[in-house]
Amino acid sequence: MQLQLQYFLLLAAALFCIGIYGLITSRNAVRVLMSIELMLNAVNLNLMGFSNFIDPQGIKGQVFTVFVITVAAAEAAVGLAIVLSIYRNRDTVDMEQFNLLKW
Amino acid sequence: MAQFFLQTAWLIPCYPLLGAILAIPWSPGIIRRTGPRPSGYINAVMSFIAFLHGLLALTATWNQPAQELLIPWLHVVDLDLTIPVELSAVTIGATMVITGINLLAQVFAIGYMEMDWGWARFYSLLAMFEAGMCGLALCNSLFFSYIILEILTLGTYLLIGLWFNQSLVVTGARDAFLTKRVGDLFLLMGVIALYPLSGTWNFSELAEWASTANIDPKVAALLGLALIAGPMGKCAQFPLHLWLDEAMEGPVPSTILRNSVVVSTGAWVLIKIQPIIALSPFAVSATLFIGVVTALGGTMVAIAQIDIKRTLSYLVSAYMGFVFIAVGTGQTQTALLLMLTYAVAMALLVMSVGAVVWNSITQDVTKLGGLWSKRPASGLSYIVGAAGLVAVPPLGSFWALVQLGDHLSTNHPWLFGVLLVVNTLATFSLTRVFGLVFGGKPKQMSERSPEIHWPMALPMLILMGFTLHVPLLLLQWQLLPNWSTLNTTVAGLLAASSAIGCGLSSYIYLNDNWAKPVQFGSQGLQDFFAYDFYTQKLYRLTIVFVVDLVSKTISWTDRYIIDGIVNLVGMITVFSGQGLKYNVSGQTQFYALTILLGVALLGILLSWPLISHMSLIIGG
């Protein structure tokens, strides 16, 4: 079986959707961050796929992926910092307890 | 010199108008210390000046052709509203009758309004009436006549409503205003519809136009009916007559004017527009019909009244009905003559009645009696006024009625029959009031009834003298037929009808053996006339009911449907805001879902052409 771009894209899309599901349904704030990582990795998979199959000479997609990984790392760090600072005040990381800013 | 007074005759309405303005400072709220009397004196003087001016102007215009003064008022595009003032013996004579009766009524009021503080308002309004009526007499344009009629309608409202702390006065003033206003508005329709047809509102030009006009009979009929409707309300003709009954709630001196001259303002306009009414046979028959019904109804209702002022007010309607009959049969000269003799006699009657009311307090004729020996001046005035009003040979109205009857007996015999019946009934009514008030034995209310003091007696007696002199004046002016040309049958029948009415009524009411209160037929019939054919109920059940229902429906629709729709828009926005705010759930994940859904939808939207293409491929 010849590997095709579509398989990578479908896998990335599936991963992204799993990430979305996790992002929306998780009650644990850390798991939300994990879901975000999943989505970012799905994006990375996309980028890598496109880079390999469409732009094998320039591989600009790989450059993008490097940037996404580094930015995602920084973002995850800040995200965890925010989760920690909330945890200090509220003694919980349950997302359903963070509904103070409503209507 | 006299010519100068004639040329300045337009000043005649200005004197009373000045008086009306000058009277105002003595309102109790402005000059607080002197009392209100000077306003009365000023107005009496102003009336006298206006009367003198008229007298001097009359000498210049006597036996001269009519002159016309033009006072520019407004000129817009092709509409030229110039006030034409007609200076003829008739118009100047009319102003003299008006100012003369006003002067007498104002002097009468100085006596009558003795115990009243509202002189400023009262005299101001009387003077406004005087000015309006003089203006109407002089003005030779239908348009300006209409304007003056409307101003006088407002004046009626204010004058009837003088003592507005009485509830019946308030309702009476309301009815007088609205009833006359309805007539005036129909008149306005006629006035406006007339202009495109004739191109002028000048009475003399209208008469010329009407002599050669050739218009659609339906248009002519509608025009005639609209033009009749104004005078119909003004002259208290059936069915717009209830206001005059209720207007009797106002003070007596204003009643003098209302009964004698104010109701004649409508008749004056009617006489002037006679050529236009004559264009349509239907309008002519309508005029006759209204006149006949009012004359018969008015006299019959008058007989059944117990309020002394109301016994006269229905006769006013009846006599204005005569004017309608005269106009309907084309006798404008007779109508003018009748208005002169009627105005003088009716003013005298009301003065005499007012003099009785002033110190007998009650207006109920069944509670008065036996005043003849104590009140000779009032009684004589009453007799002279009554004789001057009905067909009693040497006095004024006899000649007018003979002229009318002479014409009617040859052209419309049945109308002459009506004239005879109405004359009998009117005589019966007047004699009945005389019998009840001056004849019989004194009742509790009239046990001690002194004769009135001079300010009331003087104008009454002067007017009595004038009423007695009216035939002599008419003879002098050659307005009376010669004895040789007098239709003796008509004159005899009229005099006989008066004699029958007077005799019958005297037999019943001056006869102590006849049981009082008198019963005619059934109680129901008597009430039918006493309550004026239940006109008030009729109004309530028809016009008032319909207008009330319609206005309530419109008000309801406005309040609940029109306002409701607008309020609904507001409510929807408020409630949608209230409801939609719950979208801001406070859950970050919900926000994330919203963002993702938004992005997904946007993506689908943007790539829709591609997706539909793909489905085509898959489907195909």
Side-chain angles (χ1 to χ4, degrees), chain A residues 55-83:
Chain A
D55 185 27
Q57 304 305 311
I59 54 168
K60 292 190 273 295
Q62 298 193 13
V63 179
F64 276 125
T65 310
V66 170
F67 273 97
V68 170
I69 290 169
T70 47
V71 171
E75 178 248 295
V78 174
L80 273 174
I82 291 171
V83 170

Side-chain angles (χ1 to χ4, degrees), chain A residues 1-50:
Chain A
M1 181 184 83
Q2 181 68 42
L3 281 179
Q4 289 175 350
L5 175 60
Q6 282 92 327
Y7 300 154
F8 291 93
L9 295 186
L10 283 172
L11 177 66
L15 206 56
F16 190 81
C17 288
I18 292 165
I20 288 173
Y21 179 76
L23 171 73
I24 290 162
T25 55
S26 307
R27 291 186 64 172
N28 192 321
V30 180
R31 231 169 107 174
V32 172
L33 289 177
M34 285 161 71
S35 303
I36 292 172
E37 286 303 315
L38 216 52
M39 288 159 71
L40 286 165
N41 283 331
V43 170
N44 285 343
L45 206 53
N46 254 2
L47 289 170
M48 289 301 289
F50 280 123

Side-chain angles (χ1 to χ4, degrees), chain B residues 389-405:
Chain B
L389 195 64
V390 297
V392 172
L395 289 169
S397 284
F398 173 72
W399 303 105
L401 291 175
V402 165
Q403 269 188 23
L404 185 61

Side-chain angles (χ1 to χ4, degrees), chain B residues 46-71:
Chain B
M46 283 298 173
S47 291
F48 187 61
I49 294 172
F51 181 77
L52 275 187
H53 192 137
L55 192 65
L56 293 168
L58 191 66
T59 56
T61 186
W62 194 249
N63 287 331
Q64 302 291 321
Q67 296 181 33
E68 198 166 59
L69 274 182
L70 295 173
I71 302 171

